[in-house]
Every structure is written in structure tokens, then in C-alpha cells.
Amino acid sequence: MHQENLMGTMPIPKLIVKMSLPPVFSMFLQYSYNLIDSAFVAQLSENALTAVSLSFPITALMTSASVWLGVGINILIAGYLGENEPKKANRAVTHGLLLSVLVGTALNVLALVLMRPYFAAFTRDASLYALCLEYLGVCAFMQVPNMVYISIEKILQATGNMIQPMFLQIAGVLVNLVFDPLLIFGIGPFPQMGVTGAALASVMGYIFSMLLALWLLFGTKQQVRMETRGFRAERKMIRGIFMLGLPSFVMNALSSFSVIFVNLFLAGYTPTAIAFFGVYFKVQQMVAMTMNGLIQGVLPIMRFNHSAAKPRRVQAAFHVGTGIVMGIMGVGALLLLAAPRQILALFAASAEMQALGVPAMRILGIGFLFNGFSTMSATYLQATDHILPSIFIQLCRQFAVLLPLMAALNALLQMQGIWIAFPAAEIFTAVLAAGLYARCKAHPAW
């Protein structure tokens, strides 16, 4: 009950810092590591970097599915705790963990089945194709441990416990960071495995995080727990998990789909353009997922207080969270505008990649200035049961507006038009998000 009282009574700025600082730190560390991972792979060859870049949308989609279930469980549990329904919260834990194993297994199999036709759509280079299969053929096995670990992370966060989930992620990153160079380059007694080593290190990191998460949930005292006695599947609860987490899935999955479509456009130019976009997207993900760490803290606060009928606290959380998010994205924009050449140098960028990548990064960085507001608006709508408007914002930002703009501007301006489409879509979506937020605030039942 102490955590419930804090969620409903602690001053909002202090509560957001308490809830958000651990996931902000852990997400920044996780995605900073992803940059380092790509930098290691780039030392092998540009083809190796391109293989990882082409694989990234698939691994990101798999993680998006994990976040879908995890956020759905998180919102459901936070809502039940806000309504003082601990038994329902425990049943949500059970449903969530079972779903994470079943869905994770299905996605693992699906990735292995679809990877050959997927990579064949992007390249006819036999050596690049083989590297792609080599990398994703191992990475596919990250899905079950990834999904179980993220589900437990979100379960703990729903109770106001943000410190232990942070250490779960840090532990996995450290395992990954240690074994990545050892297995890629064959240091000491370890075999030189190239891109396979990079994939294997990632899988090992997720397995370690999952084992640690299971120990925390079952081996230590937590506010919620898994209940199996008299368990039966509840359609309403399953539907709630999928529906409440759907906007988060859309936000993350559309980002992956947009990368796939961008790569299809870039495949008509040069493999170097694909390799560059893979580098940019890792930088973008480092900034965006750091922002997502803050949202992980703000979302259960808004949901708890919405369920507890405290609208002023919900609005306060939205306003404070939006200010911080826009600050994070502003720093990201400054990074891309001021230091694109230095960023690309970390990835052994060729002269060709520098020539196309430096101006592209500066154009892409402008969109960061508008991304934060639309993302926080979508999060507010998600927390207050306006699921469809929340999804609509993400659809516009990363699909319905972005892709037509990209096609039109590519035809008019060639490759530069692809880059311009991103900030143009962000500006349009920010204006749309402001309108939807105002309408849902004025008409809560809408």
C-alpha cells in the first residue's frame, strides 16, 4: 500500500524523477550499447554493418512485441492497484507471463521462417545475404527470454518498483558488452565468430536478464505475484493486455516498418546508404528509447491516477513529462546537427558514407524537435483509455504521413527527399497530436 499511496500523493515532479530516472538510465545504457555493438561489427566490413542494419528491423519488431505485452501488463496492473484490486493484479501477472512464453515462441519460429524471403527482397549479393542469415539465425532465439524479461520488468514497474528493473537491464547489457568483442574478434580462448558472435552475445545477455528477472519475481518479496491456484484464462484480461499495450506496439513496430520501407527505397541507390541509415537509426533509437525510459515512469503514474479519479495529477504528470521529453529530444537534435561527422567516424565510415551521411543526419535531426510532444500526447491518450487516438498519432508519424511523403519527395529530390520526409512528417504529427490532446482533455468520454 505504501507504493500505492506514493503514486497517488507524492508531488508529481518528485514522483516522475523517482519513477523515471532508473528506466531512463537503463534505456540509455542499453541503446548506447547497441551503438557500440554496431561499431564493433563495422570493424569487420561494411557488408557486416549492412547485414546488421538489414536485420535490425526484424529484431526491433520482436522487441516491439515484447514491449506490447509488457506495457499492457503494466497498465492493467497499475489500474487494478489504483482501484485497490490486488487479486486482479496477481491474475494479470499470471496471464502476462503465460502469454509472454506462448507469443515469444511463436515469434521465434516466425522469424526463422520469414528471414530468407525478407533478405532476398533487399540484396542479390550472395556474401551479404549469407551474413544476414548468419546473424538473424541466431538473434531469433532472443525472443522468448526477451519477452519474459520485459514482462517481469513491466510487472515490477507497475507497482512503483523502478530500481530492480533497472538492474535487470544493466545486467544483460554488461553480459552483452563483455562477450561481444570476445566472440566477434576471437579474443583469448574464444573463437572468432564475426557477426554470429555479435548475435550470440545479444542472446546471452537476454537470457541472463530473464533468469535474474525470474529470481526477483519468484525468489523475493514483491507487491504482486503469480497465482496458479484455480487459474483459468480470462478473455477480458487477455484482451485488456493486448489492447492497452497496442499503442506502444504501434509506436515501436511502425518505426521498424518505416526502416524496412526506407531500406527498400535506399536499395535503389547503394548498399552504403543502407549501412548509413542503420547507423543513423541506432543513434535515433538511443535518443528515442532514452525518452521512452521517461515514458515508462510517467505512464503508470498517469494510469494509476486516472483509475483513482485524480485528473489534476494526470495533467500535472503530462505537463512535467512533456517538458522533460522535449529536453531529451532537443539534446538529440543538437547531437545530430553539430557532430554528424564525428558520429559516422565511430563506424569506420567510408568517404562515400560521410558524403551522403553528414547532410542527411542534419536534416533528420530537425524532426527530433517535434517528436517528443507527439509521443507524450499519444502516451497521455493511452493512459486515459483513448486507445484509438493514441494509435492514430503513431500511424501518422511513422506510416500514413511519412511513407507517402517519402515516395513523393524521393521522386522529386532523389535520396535527399527521403531524409526531408522525416522532419516533415514529425511537424504534421505534432500539430495533429495537439488537436487530439485538446479534444480528449475537454471531452474525456470521447
Side-chain angles (χ1 to χ4, degrees):
M1 292 298 294
H2 178 61
Q3 292 288 353
E4 292 183 23
N5 291 335
L6 287 180
M7 292 273 277
T9 61
M10 181 180 282
I12 289 295
K14 184 177 179 181
L15 182 61
I16 287 178
V17 170
K18 177 182 183 294
M19 294 285 287
S20 298
L21 203 56
V24 164
F25 175 74
S26 61
M27 294 299 281
F28 176 78
L29 184 65
Q30 171 69 48
Y31 282 86
S32 297
Y33 165 73
N34 283 346
L35 276 177
I36 297 170
D37 179 61
S38 292
F40 282 144
V41 170
Q43 304 305 312
L44 297 172
S45 68
E46 191 170 287
N47 255 8
L49 180 60
T50 304
V52 173
S53 297
L54 286 173
S55 301
F56 185 71
I58 302 302
T59 57
L61 272 173
M62 294 164 72
T63 299
S64 297
S66 301
V67 172
W68 181 2
L69 284 186
V71 170
I73 298 164
N74 176 282
I75 296 174
L76 201 64
I77 292 171
Y80 286 143
L81 294 177
E83 296 165 2
N84 197 25
E85 293 280 2
K87 290 185 178 180
K88 288 185 178 179
N90 288 339
R91 294 208 303 274
V93 171
T94 308
H95 280 79
L97 289 179
L98 290 175
L99 285 173
S100 67
V101 173
L102 294 173
V103 176
T105 301
L107 289 175
N108 189 339
V109 173
L110 189 63
L112 294 173
V113 169
L114 295 181
M115 65 181 185
R116 290 180 181 276
Y118 168 77
F119 289 126
F122 292 96
T123 182
R124 295 182 180 178
D125 183 326
S127 61
L128 175 57
Y129 181 74
L131 283 171
C132 290
L133 294 181
E134 186 180 332
Y135 181 78
L136 191 58
V138 174
C139 261
F141 290 93
M142 77 177 197
Q143 187 53 32
V144 172
N146 182 26
M147 192 159 260
V148 171
Y149 137 67
I150 288 180
S151 292
I152 296 175
E153 175 188 64
K154 299 303 181 190
I155 287 166
L156 299 178
Q157 288 175 351
T159 68
N161 180 354
M162 308 304 286
I163 299 297
Q164 289 177 333
M166 176 184 72
F167 285 113
L168 291 179
Q169 194 159 51
I170 291 173
V173 168
L174 290 177
V175 169
N176 203 337
L177 186 61
V178 169
F179 283 97
D180 213 22
L182 297 178
L183 296 176
I184 290 173
F185 303 115
I187 298 172
F190 296 92
Q192 184 176 352
M193 301 176 71
V195 295
T196 299
L200 182 57
S202 295
V203 174
M204 290 169 64
Y206 283 119
I207 290 173
F208 187 75
S209 289
M210 178 189 70
L211 294 174
L212 189 57
L214 288 168
W215 173 75
L216 280 174
L217 184 63
F218 294 105
T220 65
K221 187 176 181 180
Q222 301 293 339
Q223 191 175 344
V224 293
R225 58 188 174 84
M226 184 176 181
E227 285 190 354
T228 56
R229 184 180 300 174
F231 172 80
R232 60 183 179 84
E234 299 177 41
R235 183 178 299 178
K236 181 180 178 181
M237 199 165 283
I238 294 171
R239 182 179 182 276
I241 289 172
F242 281 110
M243 287 302 297
L244 290 169
L246 186 58
S248 295
F249 172 72
V250 170
M251 179 179 71
N252 291 288
L254 284 179
S255 181
S256 300
F257 281 120
S258 70
V259 172
I260 292 172
F261 282 105
V262 172
N263 284 340
L264 286 171
F265 281 114
L266 294 177
Y269 292 99
T270 168
T272 300
I274 295 176
F276 157 73
F277 191 69
V279 169
Y280 159 74
F281 196 70
K282 290 292 180 75
V283 176
Q284 189 268 350
Q285 285 285 287
M286 182 186 72
V287 179
M289 298 309 288
T290 301
M291 172 185 69
N292 185 263
L294 182 111
I295 288 171
Q296 287 179 32
V298 175
L299 179 58
I301 294 171
M302 290 194 291
R303 179 64 182 183
F304 181 97
N305 286 286
H306 174 70
S307 298
K310 297 181 178 180
R312 289 186 179 180
R313 288 181 62 81
V314 176
Q315 291 300 322
F318 171 75
H319 291 138
V320 174
T322 299
I324 300 172
V325 158
M326 293 182 73
I328 292 171
M329 297 308 291
V331 171
L334 184 62
L335 180 68
L336 291 185
L337 291 169
R341 193 172 301 279
Q342 290 81 357
I343 292 170
L344 291 173
L346 296 173
F347 300 88
S350 63
E352 182 184 358
M353 187 184 292
Q354 287 277 4
L356 70 88
V358 169
M361 275 201 171
R362 287 178 174 148
I363 293 169
L364 291 162
I366 295 169
F368 282 34
L369 300 173
F370 302 90
N371 177 291
F373 176 77
S374 58
T375 302
M376 268 301 299
S377 297
T379 302
Y380 167 83
L381 298 173
Q382 180 181 4
T384 57
D385 289 320
H386 296 96
I387 303 299
L388 291 179
S390 178
I391 292 173
F392 185 62
I393 289 172
Q394 300 300 344
L395 278 171
C396 287
R397 187 171 74 82
Q398 301 185 86
F399 192 80
V401 174
L402 176 63
L403 294 187
L405 270 175
M406 194 180 299
L409 293 174
N410 178 53
L412 288 172
L413 302 172
Q414 304 304 305
M415 191 188 298
Q416 190 177 43
I418 296 173
W419 315 133
I420 293 172
F422 281 88
E426 294 286 8
I427 293 168
F428 176 90
T429 306
V431 174
L432 173 69
L436 287 172
Y437 164 73
R439 180 174 176 83
C440 290
K441 180 184 175 184
H443 305 284
W446 178 60

